[in-house]
Amino acid sequence: DAGVIQSPRHEVTEMGQEVTLRCKPISGHNSLFWYRQTMMRGLELLIYFNNNVPIDDSGMPEDRFSAKMPNASFSTLKIQPSEPRDSAVYFCASSYGQGFDTEAFFGQGTRLTVV
Amino acid sequence: GESVGLHLPTLSVQEGDNSIINCAYSNSASDYFIWYKQESGKGPQFIIDIRSNMDKRQGQRVTVLLNKTVKHLSLQIAATQPGDSAVYFCAENENNNDMRFGAGTRLTVKP
């Protein structure tokens, strides 16, 4: 398996534009997580899906952020409109099982820069 | 202007020496702990985990120690190699809800 695949690897966009980050989890995994990593705040959980259903979105910063998982092999994280403070590395991770007590595999991340 | 970010603790060791990376966690109810390794430009990678009913767990060249009394977790790496250079994060979890990551420690291995 190629592991968790994220695209794009890098994204530079202007403030106010819509940004969509994509994730393909490992085949057979039924939990998917979106994380954000910044120097200021470290690694933070944004949202967690289990069997394609959002379970915990309490980490989503505000209404400008939304995430979907239309099927078991694809998820998106959308920011609309984007702001400079959204600049960060966004990671997607997947695992087999429910919750956080099984090994999660992370993608390479998407480095987002909003100018 | 210049941004102020997290100042990562750093540990520098000689190749072949043993490394000990420490982590203090905050929640006395946390019952599951993981150590992750993150190399530059990559996502975190699972190293080893431990549940609260244990105080020690060993893997290949790595050992995790858990002291619940003082809420302290440590990662020991035996015979540290240049490929071990990375940022190491501890993460804690309570009752399978959420996963909170520490700030990380940067390990540098000198040849």
Side-chain angles (χ1 to χ4, degrees), chain A residues 9-15 19 21 82-90 110-115:
Chain A
R9 288 295 311 276
H10 302 275
E11 175 82 35
V12 180
T13 191
E14 290 185 346
M15 182 174 63
V19 176
L21 312 181
S82 58
E83 296 182 2
R85 61 191 168 123
D86 302 330
S87 297
V89 182
Y90 291 81
T110 295
R111 180 174 294 278
L112 173 66
T113 303
V114 183
V115 297

Side-chain angles (χ1 to χ4, degrees), chain B residues 19 29 41 48 61 86:
Chain B
S19 301
I48 192 168
R61 280 203 308 119

Side-chain angles (χ1 to χ4, degrees), chain A residues 25-46:
Chain A
I26 292 173
S27 177
H29 283 186
N30 60 345
S31 287
L32 184 139
F33 312 84
W34 282 100
Y35 287 91
R36 177 172 68 176
Q37 186 175 41
T38 62
M39 285 299 295
M40 287 291 293
R41 301 171 68 91
L43 201 60
E44 304 172 284
L45 176 70
L46 299 177

Side-chain angles (χ1 to χ4, degrees), chain A residues 37 39-40 98 100-101, chain B residues 4 6 38 51 96 98-99:
Chain A
Q37 186 175 41
M39 285 299 295
M40 287 291 293
Q98 184 170 359
F100 298 85
D101 67 350
Chain B
V4 177
L6 290 173
Q38 187 175 21
R51 298 191 186 275
N96 207 17
D98 201 356
M99 182 65 73

